[in-house]
Amino acid sequence: MSVPDTSVSIIGASGALGFGLAVRLGAAGVEVTIGSRDAGRARAAAQRVRAVVPAATVDGLENAAAAAAHELVVLSVPFRSHHETVTHIAATMRLGQLLIDATVPLAASVGGRATRMLGVWQGSAAQQAQELVPDGVRVVAALHTVSAAALGSHGHALDEDVLVVGDARADKLRVAALLDRIDGLRCVDAGRLEMARITESLTALMIAVNVRHKTHAGIRITGLPDTLW
C-alpha cells in the first residue's frame, strides 16, 4: 500500500454521502476541504462536520476553489448536476490531480425511481467526467455501494468492500490508500474505468435490497487473497 494522501477535497459534501465521507476522513486525521456551489453552504457543512468530529481539520470553499485545493478530489453530486459541476471545476483542476467520482446516474435525479438507472452516452458518469476534465487529470470511480446513511452515522461500524475502478493501477492504489483509512472499508480493484457502468448500477441494486430489508447493507467480495494491493 502506498503512503496515503493527507488531504482531500469533497465536492458535494453537503449531501449525505459526501458529508459522511467528510466525517469519516476527518476522524481519520485527513484534512478535508468541502466544496459547494455556494461558499456559505460549504462553510456550514464544514461546521456540521466539526460538530460531529471536533478535532477534524475541515473548511469550506466554493466548488472551483475547493477542487484546486488538494491533489485528490471526490465528486459526490446528483447526476443532474454532474456535467455542470465537472465543467465548472475543470477550469481550476491541473495535471496530476485525481478525481474520485462517486456519482450515480439514478433516475431519481430527474424525478424517476431510485432503483432505475439513466443511460449515459459515454457509458457511465465516471466516463463522462473523464471526457470533461483537463488532460492529465485522471478519473477513478468508487463508493457506489457504500450506504450514505451508514457512512454518515459516525457510531455505525462499517464492514464492507469498496469497488474501485480506473485505467491506472497506481491511481486506484492511491484511492485505496485514502479510503482504507476509514475503519471497516476494504478497497478492491474491480478493473478499468469502463467497469464504472456496472459499479454505478449496483447503487440501484443496493437501494432495492436496503428498502426491502429495511437496513443499510453493503457488499463483501469473498475468496480474495489477504493482500490486495
Side-chain angles (χ1 to χ4, degrees), residues 17 21 23 35 39 48 69 73-74 83 90 96 116 128 151 165 176 179 183 186 206 215:
L17 181 68
L21 189 62
V23 167
R48 287 171 53 213
V73 181
V74 176
H83 190 285
R116 291 179 180 172
Q128 175 174 273
L151 197 65
V165 299
L179 296 181
D183 288 341
R186 181 183 68 166
M206 295 310 298
T215 188

Side-chain angles (χ1 to χ4, degrees), residues 28 46 59-60 121 126 176 181 211:
D59 63 355
W121 180 260
R181 295 181 69 157
V211 168

Side-chain angles (χ1 to χ4, degrees), residues 37-207:
R37 286 180 295 179
D38 178 78
R41 287 188 64 194
R43 289 191 294 269
Q47 187 173 359
R48 287 171 53 213
V49 172
R50 285 192 294 270
V52 180
V53 186
T57 301
V58 55
D59 63 355
L61 299 171
E62 184 274 333
N63 278 336
H70 305 292
E71 292 295 307
L72 294 186
V73 181
V74 176
L75 182 65
S76 177
V77 297
F79 184 67
R80 65 178 178 275
S81 305
H82 185 265
H83 190 285
E84 178 185 0
T85 302
V86 177
T87 300
H88 179 63
I89 66 175
T92 60
M93 297 192 75
R94 60 192 179 276
L95 178 71
Q97 281 186 294
L98 191 59
L99 181 67
I100 306 166
D101 199 341
T103 308
V104 179
L106 292 174
S109 68
V110 293
R113 295 177 61 179
T115 52
R116 291 179 180 172
M117 299 288 290
L118 298 173
V120 183
W121 180 260
Q122 294 87 346
S124 65
Q127 289 169 292
Q128 175 174 273
Q130 186 65 82
E131 285 193 0
L132 295 171
V133 295
D135 291 342
V137 175
R138 294 181 299 277
V139 175
V140 169
L143 295 164
H144 302 114
T145 61
V146 178
S147 164
L151 197 65
S153 179
H154 188 42
H156 178 84
L158 301 173
D159 181 23
E160 57 192 278
D161 289 338
V162 178
L163 305 180
V164 181
V165 299
D167 289 336
R169 181 169 173 80
D171 294 339
K172 291 181 282 188
L173 179 61
R174 194 175 177 187
V175 173
L178 176 75
L179 296 181
D180 279 346
R181 295 181 69 157
I182 300 175
D183 288 341
L185 295 185
R186 181 183 68 166
C187 289
V188 177
D189 187 340
R192 296 182 63 83
L193 190 64
E194 64 184 9
M195 299 305 292
R197 70 187 188 278
I198 297 174
T199 58
E200 290 175 6
S201 68
L202 290 176
T203 299
L205 174 66
M206 295 310 298
I207 289 172

